[in-house]
Every structure is written in structure tokens, then in C-alpha cells.
Amino acid sequence: MSGNNSEDASGEPTGKLAELLKLLKMNGNDVTKLTQSQQKEMKDYKFWKTQPVPKLDESVSEEGPIDRKKTPEEIPNEPFPLLAEFEWCTLDVTDQQQLEDIFVLLNENYVEDRDASFRFKYTREFFNWSLKPPGWKKDWHVGVRVRGTGKLVAFISAIPVNLNLRNKLVKSVEINFLCVHKQLRGKRLAPVLIKEITRRVNKYDIWFALYTSGTILPSPVTVCRYTHRPLNWDKLLEVGFVHLPPGATKPQMVANYALPKKTTTRGLRPMAPKDVDEVHALFVKYQSRFDLVQDFDKEEFRHWFLGGPEQLNASEDTKVIRSYVVENEDGKITDFFSFYSLPFTILENPVHKELGIGYLFYYASDADFGFNDRFDKEATAALKTRLCQMVNDACILAHNAKMDVFNALTSQDNALFLEKLKFGPGDGFLNFYLFNYKSFPITGGIRDDKSYDVERRSNLGVVML
Ligand SMILES: CC(C)(COP(=O)(O)OP(=O)(O)OC[C@H]1O[C@@H](n2cnc3c(N)ncnc32)[C@H](O)[C@@H]1OP(=O)(O)O)[C@@H](O)C(=O)NCCC(=O)NCCS
């Protein structure tokens, strides 16, 4: 059952709509100030209103699937029709040339910042890690090529994930890297890609998906804020990533963000293959506190935290994922953290061509395991102390690995360390969506006024690339 709770007696929006409007305002898009035609456009999700997703003004009263299960046999065998000048292709990412095609499409057309001065710089190593986890399907690397020239102009991908939503297993995929060539934007190709990947996933008897977007679509399960911890403030200033605050001097700012070369946590070392069983157990226990998590089996855990086989011997420059553990004097692993590298290309700068970026990935700690309630005052203090030390070390390691900034979302227990460790709030927000599954809202680590929600933290335990 879903109820429309879009207005109260005073005419003010309430419920989920009110929450969304608040979030839009937080994003700098005060919806109440939009012109009438813009408001109409916003409501008019021509594609998404045909899909099994909750409406923007819908309040969820029961969690679960939206379209009840069909069978793969009921799903068409043929792909959705495309205009005559295009054709579908399945990309084989084990083939260098095809990997190169994705690489060129995404590097030239994927997300840019508002001023188009930075763009993600995807690498082969990154794709090998992110597109080929255990159980990956070639069929789920979907492209559109220009018939005749063979040029790749659009891409979408799915990888298998077992989600755990408040202790219910939701067999799903994660959708990522949706991209349409700049010259083909606005032509409704994205909905066709989404429908085609849905068809291909349904054929494997999977009916749900997790995806993220910076834009508001019907309807986010949660929204998190991006945060940035400058590691190389000088360079960030030179490339326009940060500005000198009024009244501050450059040396003051550099000193403020300076980090030592050496990490401080005793027993900290890179995670090794022999640690997988123990760290996996610690991680599963830690993750059980969150409402939405991915259930990693050991093979998946090994892939996501040690990388594929080529990552084990990768040089420092091409390492995508880095994982560390803290081993105490008794040889027990008490903590673990990981971060990945995804640099930006700097588009128009005479000196700097690349910005090294580290992203906090997953972590776990036994610091509050002795308490029944993670929000207990002492539990909070214990975890906060441990996380502050650990993530500060992660920043030191990222800096030593030539990263210029360290990013984190407000998800997980991050609100406990963000401010103390000088992670500044970014302009960007990341909305999380479930396809064909209704969920009660999940806390995303930010308050109504955009600040870090230290009291409630976040109940989101998935990190998407
Ligand atoms: C995102 C992108 C593929 C959309 O393509 P487009 O040409 O602008 O949009 P199209 O005309 O094909 O389709 C528009 C529909 O797609 C939806 N859409 C746009 N971006 C979307 C996204 N990230 N996820 C899901 N749906 C999206 C729109 O809401 C619209 O549907 P609606 O009528 O229900 O509102 C394209 O802008 C792009 O490649 N951007 C750079 C990469 C990027 O941002 N990828 C998404 C990362 S989350």
C-alpha cells in the first residue's frame, strides 16, 4: 500500500516529497524557486514513471518487490529496437580493443564537473577490477555502436550483488557506467539502455538493481554528501579544486592540511591473501549494523579488497585498490580499511594534467563490538577514536601514494570522523536507488541543513564506485 502524502492542510509538502524538496534545496536547486515550466518538467519523468520505482510523493508503508516475480522465459529474447543507424553490441572486456573502446567513450564523455575542468580518468586496471568481480557476465557489458563505422557511442553495465536490506536477501545487480556520447545526448537513448540491461539481467532471473545518480530521479532510498580531505592543498589551489578562503594565507592552509609521512597506528600493515578469512569475519560483523549492505562471500571479498590477480603484483602507479589491516600484539586483526584510486584528468591546465584521488571504500573495526547499542555514548566514543586514527592513517597512505585529495561519502559511520579529520563538505550529493524494490528511507549521514549527522550517522553500508 502506498499513500499520497504530498500536502498537509497548510499546503506545505509533507512526507517523502517534503524530504526530497529539502534535499533539492540542499543541492542548491531550490525547487520552490523554479519557474512553473521547470516544475512541470521535474514532475514529468516520462521514462521513469513507466518503471517499477516508487513515485516521488509516495511514502513506503511496506518494504518489498514492486512488480512481483516473472520468469526469465516471459522476458523477450530479442534486444529492444534501436534506430537503424545504431546496433547493439556486447563488449568483451577481456579483449584489449573492446576494453579500449569503453575506455575512450568513458574518458571522453563520462561525468564532468559543472565547469567541465575535471573528468574521471578510467584505466584498464580500474575496469578489470570494477567490471569483472566474481560472477560477472559478458552479457551485462552492453554497448551501442554506429552501424558501419563501429564507433562505440553508449555503454551501460551491471555486476551481480547480493544485497541485504534489513536482513532480507535481495538478489540484485549494481548498475554503473551509464554513458551516452555527448553528441547523442537528449535523444532518449538512456532509457533504451536501461531497458536493455534490465532485459538482459531478467534473463538471469534477477529482478532488482541498485544504482546511484547525482540527479534526482523517482525515488531515492537515501542521499549522501560527498566530502573531500585535501592532501596536497597547493596543487588543489593551482588547479582550481579549492579556493583561498578570505582572510587566510596559502602557508596557513598548507600547514592546516599537512600530514606526517609515517602512519601512527601500531600493527598497521597491508592486507595479505592469508588475512582474507579473518578480515571477512570482522567485516561481516561490522556491516551487520547497517540497513543496506552487500553480502560479500569470501571470493568476492578477495576480489574487491585485494584486486584481481594482476593487482597483487601491480606497481604503485597502477594499483587500484589498497587494503590495510591492524594486527594487535596477540596476532588478532582488530581493524581493516580500504581505499581505491580513480584520478581525474585536468582538462585545461598548462601545468597539471592529472589529479590523484583516493576514495574511502569499506572499513571495519571491533572498537564498539563490546556494546549492545552502537549509539551508546561510550560505544560512540570508542569507535570515533579508532576511526579517527585509522582514517587519518588512510589519508597519510593516500598522500604517500601521490593522491592529492581523499574523498568520502557521509555513508557508514563516516560522520564520526569527517569533521575532525578535515573532510570538507563538497557540492555534490549522491542519490541511491533501488529498482523494483520499495524500501523505507535510510539515513545518509546528513542533517536537513546539509551538515554531517554525527548523532544518527548513516545506515547505508554499501559503497558504489
Ligand atoms: C546520464 C546520460 C546517459 C543521460 O543521457 P541523456 O542523453 O542526457 O538522456 P536521454 O535523453 O537519453 O534520456 C533521458 C531520460 O534518462 C533519465 N536519466 C538521465 N540520467 C540518468 C541517470 N544517471 N540514471 C538514470 N536515468 C537517467 C532522465 O531522467 C530521462 O528520463 P525521464 O524522462 O523519466 O526523466 C548522459 O547524460 C551521460 O552520459 N552523462 C555522463 C555520464 C553520467 O553522468 N552517467 C550517469 C552516472 S550516474
Side-chain angles (χ1 to χ4, degrees):
M1 279 283 294
S2 60
N4 184 333
N5 66 346
S6 57
E7 279 186 11
D8 70 7
S10 68
E12 279 291 301
T14 58
K16 186 129 188 189
L17 179 61
E19 272 171 46
L20 276 163
L21 296 184
K22 263 190 228 157
L23 291 171
L24 281 165
K25 283 185 203 171
M26 286 176 14
N27 232 336
N29 304 321
D30 187 343
V31 79
T32 56
K33 293 207 186 102
L34 294 181
T35 64
Q36 212 171 2
S37 68
Q38 282 171 318
Q39 279 189 39
K40 210 168 169 190
E41 258 174 59
M42 280 218 34
K43 279 190 230 148
D44 198 12
Y45 287 95
K46 284 197 195 73
F47 167 63
W48 281 108
K49 74 181 178 195
T50 67
Q51 298 300 298
V53 290
K55 310 265 175 301
L56 277 180
D57 58 357
E58 181 173 335
S59 72
V60 173
S61 55
E62 199 188 336
E63 287 192 325
I66 297 173
D67 267 358
R68 289 288 157 179
K69 204 171 168 184
K70 298 184 196 127
T71 63
E73 293 70 38
E74 291 169 65
I75 301 299
N77 289 321
E78 295 305 316
F80 279 85
L82 281 174
L83 289 175
E85 59 260 49
F86 302 113
E87 60 191 4
W88 289 110
C89 66
T90 298
L91 288 128
D92 179 356
V93 292
T94 58
D95 177 278
Q96 276 312 311
Q97 183 53 51
Q98 299 189 43
L99 191 58
E100 182 76 23
D101 289 346
I102 308 176
F103 187 62
V104 169
L105 174 76
L106 264 67
N107 283 344
E108 291 176 4
N109 299 278
Y110 205 57
V111 186
E112 283 171 1
D113 67 310
R114 219 176 292 145
D115 315 324
S117 15
F118 306 102
R119 192 191 286 147
F120 285 123
K121 184 180 179 191
Y122 289 106
T123 59
R124 280 168 204 83
E125 291 78 13
F126 189 87
F127 285 146
N128 275 328
W129 179 62
S130 57
L131 290 177
K132 286 163 62 182
W136 70 277
K137 309 266 184 286
K138 185 179 155 195
D139 227 21
W140 294 351
H141 299 153
V142 186
V144 173
R145 290 189 189 273
V146 176
R147 209 183 277 274
T149 68
K151 186 179 165 70
L152 185 71
V153 289
F155 183 70
I156 192 165
S157 69
I159 52 168
V161 287
N162 283 320
L163 295 177
N164 187 323
L165 178 65
R166 298 187 184 92
N167 296 323
K168 261 196 214 127
L169 187 71
V170 187
K171 196 177 166 200
S172 309
V173 290
E174 244 178 49
I175 301 292
N176 213 336
F177 306 118
L178 166 63
C179 184
V180 168
H181 194 283
K182 281 181 180 172
Q183 286 169 352
L184 293 173
R185 297 272 167 89
K187 299 185 190 309
R188 315 299 299 177
L189 194 49
V192 185
L193 285 162
I194 295 167
K195 283 192 277 187
E196 177 58 11
I197 194 94
T198 307
R199 187 189 70 81
R200 293 185 184 209
V201 168
N202 288 166
K203 277 285 174 197
Y204 285 85
D205 205 11
I206 297 177
W207 307 91
F208 313 109
L210 174 71
Y211 54 105
T212 55
S213 173
T215 48
I216 300 265
L217 305 167
S219 289
V221 174
T222 187
V223 56
C224 297
R225 188 167 192 175
Y226 284 106
T227 75
H228 312 284
R229 201 292 177 193
L231 302 175
N232 189 355
W233 195 85
D234 248 357
K235 180 170 166 187
L236 295 176
L237 181 69
E238 283 165 26
V239 303
F241 197 89
V242 295
H243 299 283
L244 187 63
T249 65
K250 268 199 224 176
Q252 277 171 345
M253 295 306 288
V254 170
N256 182 44
Y257 290 112
L259 287 164
K261 277 265 163 231
K262 280 206 162 134
T263 55
T264 55
T265 311
R266 205 194 294 175
L268 180 71
R269 62 168 174 81
M271 179 174 145
K274 69 174 166 74
D275 301 318
V276 166
D277 284 358
E278 193 179 352
V279 185
H280 180 257
L282 170 76
F283 178 67
V284 170
K285 187 165 176 190
Y286 185 79
Q287 287 289 95
S288 66
R289 68 191 53 212
F290 300 122
D291 286 345
L292 180 63
V293 297
Q294 180 179 344
D295 268 350
F296 291 95
D297 65 22
K298 281 194 198 147
E299 204 195 335
E300 290 169 322
F301 190 84
R302 182 183 291 269
H303 174 89
W304 286 113
F305 299 107
L306 291 174
E310 72 274 12
Q311 283 288 300
L312 279 178
N313 303 315
S315 72
E316 278 302 298
D317 286 351
T318 59
K319 239 185 192 165
V320 175
I321 177 72
R322 293 157 204 259
S323 300
Y324 294 83
V325 295
V326 180
E327 184 178 332
N328 72 10
E329 279 144 19
D330 304 328
K332 185 175 169 254
I333 292 173
T334 55
D335 310 86
F336 138 82
F337 65 81
S338 55
F339 57 95
Y340 65 89
S341 160
L342 177 52
F344 270 163
T345 299
I346 304 172
L347 295 177
E348 274 166 27
N349 188 288
V351 184
H352 302 292
K353 300 289 165 230
E354 191 173 312
L355 199 67
I357 308 187
Y359 289 80
L360 182 64
F361 198 38
Y362 288 93
Y363 56 83
S365 170
D366 72 3
D368 63 5
F369 282 2
F371 300 87
N372 289 331
D373 177 8
R374 111 191 213 240
F375 295 106
D376 173 284
K377 217 171 149 196
E378 278 177 55
T380 300
L383 185 62
K384 183 175 176 179
T385 306
R386 197 84 70 83
L387 288 185
C388 283
Q389 190 177 3
M390 225 162 64
V391 180
N392 196 50
D393 277 350
C395 291
I396 293 171
L397 291 161
H399 186 223
N400 292 348
K402 300 202 176 61
M403 292 172 189
D404 300 306
V405 60
F406 198 70
N407 292 347
L409 281 171
T410 52
S411 55
Q412 301 144 285
D413 280 317
N414 298 1
L416 288 182
F417 61 77
L418 291 173
E419 203 171 326
K420 173 128 203 272
L421 297 186
K422 303 177 181 169
F423 282 79
D427 297 336
F429 291 81
L430 190 64
N431 301 285
F432 286 74
Y433 301 94
L434 286 172
F435 184 86
N436 196 22
Y437 205 93
K438 280 185 194 173
S439 159
F440 299 131
I442 294 174
T443 48
I446 40 178
R447 300 190 188 106
D448 292 351
D449 67 354
K450 315 176 197 184
S451 60
Y452 305 145
D453 192 345
V454 184
E455 288 74 36
R456 296 192 306 163
R457 303 177 224 165
S458 171
N459 270 324
L460 181 72
V462 284
V463 181
M464 272 190 67
L465 304 178

